[in-house]
Amino acid sequence: MKIAVTELREFFKRTSKIKTNNILPVYGSILFEFTKECVYLTKTNGFSFCKHEIESEENEEGIFAIEEKRLTPLVNNAVGEFIEFKLKTKKAIVAEKEQIITIAVISDDENTSSIQVIDHTAFPSFPEQNKSSEPVYLNNDVIKSLNEAKSFCFVANVETSYSYVYLSKKNGGNFIFSTTGQIFYLNKIEDELPEFSLSPESCSMLLPYTNIMYYKAGNYNFFNTGKTVFGFIQSRLNPPNFQVIIDAIDRTDFIELKRQQVIDFSELVLSFSLEVPVVIFSFEESGLVGSYSEAEYNVDTKRSLYVNKNHDADDFALNASFTHMALSCFTGENLKGYIVRDNNGKENSFCIESEENPGLSIVLGLYHTKIK
C-alpha cells in the first residue's frame, strides 16, 4: 500500500487548521482507506471533517488509522517519492494481558518505522446528504468574500454570534456578513446562496479552491471541492441582526476619497502608534486633512488627502487599523463614504463603498472623543 509523499504532505497542509483533541483517540488520528483505484484519507476532530481522495493503482485493499503526531514527522522527513504501508500483527502485553495488536510498518527509500494502529472502527463516518438539501455551487467570488469576511469576526475564548461569517437572506437579497461589533463587513451577492455560518478557520480552509459544491449532511455543512470534501458542524447561534445597518445607510450625502491615499496614511500611523490609532479627518480650506497625535509622547503627524463632497460635512475620526483592514477589501481606487446615524439621528458609524466593487459595504464605528 503506497502513497506519494507529496500527496501526504498536501493533505497535512489542507487539514492543518483542524486541531486535534483528546476526546477520542481517533480525533488525533488519520484514517487510511485503500481501494484498488484510490486511497481516501480522513481527518476529524468531531467539529470538522476532511476527506481527501488520492488516485493510486495496484494497491491492496485495507483500512487503518494512525496517530497524526507520530505520522507527521515520518512524512515530513521521508526520502524518495513514495511511502509504503504494511500491516502486521504481533503479540503484546496490554493491561497485564496478552493481546494481538496490529502494527503499521512505514517505509520510504531510507527509513523504516513501526507504529501501532488505532481502532478505526471508532472513526465517525461521513453523514449522508440531507434529502431536503440541494447542492449549491459556490463560485470564486463567494469564496473570496468569505475569506475577506473572516477578518471581521470577533475571535475570543468564548464563542459568540460575532465569531462567525454568515450567509443570510434579507429582503430577497443574499448577503455575506460578519462583524467584530465595531466594524461590519456586508457583501450583497447576486447569485442565489444557501444560509449557513462558518468560523474564520473554516473559511481559511476553503480559500485555496475556486469552485465548490455546498450541501448539508446531518448537522454539518459540507463543501465538495472535487478531490477533497470538508465538513463543518453547524452553529446553533443566530446571526446578529444586520438589517438595521442596511436600513441606516443613507446615500444622499457622500464624501469621495482615494483608497490608496488613506491606506498609505493609515500604514504610517500604524507603523509608530503606541496607543489606539484614532485618526481625525478634518475638512480645511486645503481639503481633507488626516491627523494623528499622542500627547504623552509628543507625536504628531498629518497629511493632506483628496476629497470631494456634495454637502457641508463634519469632521470625523476612525481607527486606522480598522480603516486599513476595510480598504484592503476594495479594488477600486475611488471610494464613497456615508455617515450613518442611529435612530436618534446621532452619527455613529461611517460606511465605505466603491462603484468598482458593487454590493460591498464596510461600516466602521466612529470615534467622538478625539474630535475637538
Side-chain angles (χ1 to χ4, degrees):
M1 295 182 283
K2 291 183 178 181
I3 303 179
V5 174
T6 54
E7 291 278 10
L8 279 170
R9 289 173 179 169
E10 180 63 23
F11 175 76
F12 287 142
K13 181 180 178 181
R14 296 184 186 201
T15 60
S16 62
K17 294 186 181 297
I18 300 179
K19 303 303 180 184
T20 59
N21 62 54
N22 297 319
I23 298 175
L24 292 173
V26 292
Y27 288 167
S29 304
I30 306 297
L31 179 69
F32 292 78
E33 298 175 90
F34 283 86
T35 70
K36 293 181 179 179
E37 295 81 22
C38 62
V39 183
Y40 295 102
L41 305 181
T42 304
K43 177 180 176 180
T44 182
N45 58 13
F47 303 101
S48 301
F49 274 94
C50 179
K51 187 170 186 177
H52 181 58
E53 178 184 339
I54 302 172
E55 294 182 3
S56 180
E57 299 179 357
E58 299 181 0
N59 263 320
E60 298 178 22
E61 295 184 344
I63 180 170
F64 56 90
I66 299 177
E67 283 185 283
E68 183 180 12
K69 66 181 180 181
R70 298 187 185 278
L71 180 62
T72 300
L74 299 181
V75 174
N76 290 341
N77 294 286
V79 179
E81 186 177 355
F82 293 95
I83 286 182
E84 185 175 11
F85 297 84
K86 291 182 179 180
L87 300 181
K88 68 177 185 179
T89 58
K90 62 177 289 187
K91 293 181 179 180
I93 303 298
V94 180
E96 299 182 352
K97 294 182 179 180
E98 185 177 86
Q99 295 184 14
I100 303 297
I101 63 173
T102 302
I103 300 294
V105 180
I106 305 169
S107 57
D108 55 42
D109 286 357
E110 293 185 5
N111 307 293
T112 300
S113 305
S114 297
I115 300 176
Q116 183 177 344
V117 302
I118 304 297
D119 178 16
H120 68 271
T121 60
F123 220 95
S125 58
F126 262 39
E128 294 185 5
Q129 180 178 333
N130 297 350
K131 293 182 179 179
S132 60
S133 174
E134 290 293 330
V136 179
Y137 170 74
L138 305 180
N139 62 27
N140 189 47
D141 290 338
V142 174
I143 304 305
K144 177 178 178 292
S145 185
L146 288 173
N147 185 60
E148 290 176 346
K150 70 178 174 56
S151 300
F152 297 83
C153 293
F154 180 72
V155 180
N157 293 330
V158 179
E159 188 178 82
T160 72
S161 59
Y162 290 176
S163 304
Y164 289 88
V165 175
Y166 297 90
L167 274 73
S168 299
K169 298 180 185 294
K170 293 289 183 181
N171 295 337
N174 298 279
F175 293 89
I176 295 177
F177 170 78
S178 62
T179 180
T180 66
Q182 293 179 297
I183 180 170
F184 301 82
Y185 178 97
L186 188 64
N187 195 6
K188 186 175 183 180
I189 304 296
E190 292 300 322
D191 296 339
E192 190 68 22
L193 295 177
E195 292 189 279
F196 61 83
S197 60
L198 287 176
S199 69
E201 293 79 10
S202 300
C203 292
S204 296
M205 281 187 267
L206 299 180
L207 179 61
Y209 308 98
T210 55
N211 299 298
I212 296 176
M213 195 63 70
Y214 165 84
Y215 62 91
K216 288 184 178 181
N219 61 337
Y220 287 84
N221 295 307
F222 274 90
F223 301 84
N224 190 339
T225 70
K227 294 291 186 182
T228 307
V229 179
F230 291 96
F232 308 112
I233 198 165
Q234 297 171 13
S235 170
R236 296 182 179 181
L237 297 173
N238 293 321
N241 181 18
F242 62 88
Q243 183 65 51
V244 294
I245 300 172
I246 297 175
D247 294 341
I249 300 174
D250 183 353
R251 296 174 176 83
T252 304
D253 297 331
F254 62 83
I255 302 166
E256 292 182 343
L257 304 168
K258 294 297 184 182
R259 171 181 171 272
Q260 195 58 51
Q261 282 189 350
V262 181
I263 285 180
D264 290 344
F265 186 62
S266 299
E267 289 179 346
L268 173 64
V269 171
L270 293 172
S271 67
F272 61 72
S273 172
L274 297 178
E275 298 179 354
V276 177
V278 176
V279 172
I280 297 173
F281 295 91
S282 55
F283 296 93
E284 302 180 5
E285 291 183 2
S286 60
L288 184 66
V289 175
S291 60
Y292 174 77
S293 64
E294 293 178 9
E296 183 178 351
Y297 301 100
N298 293 309
V299 171
D300 286 281
T301 185
K302 62 174 55 180
R303 181 179 297 185
S304 296
L305 304 167
Y306 167 87
V307 68
N308 179 40
K309 53 191 175 71
N310 69 345
H311 67 293
D312 187 15
D314 294 327
D315 299 348
F316 60 98
L318 299 171
N319 184 307
S321 179
F322 293 160
T323 303
H324 187 275
M325 184 167 64
L327 299 193
S328 297
C329 296
F330 291 92
T331 56
E333 181 61 20
N334 300 310
L335 304 176
K336 278 191 175 181
Y338 312 94
I339 296 295
V340 181
R341 303 176 186 273
D342 60 21
N343 292 333
N344 298 318
K346 182 181 178 181
E347 299 178 353
N348 67 357
S349 52
F350 187 72
C351 174
I352 302 173
E353 296 179 343
S354 171
E355 292 182 358
E356 296 168 74
N357 299 95
L360 178 61
S361 303
I362 299 182
V363 182
L364 299 84
L366 288 173
Y367 284 73
H368 300 281
T369 56
K370 292 274 183 172
I371 299 178
K372 299 181 181 179

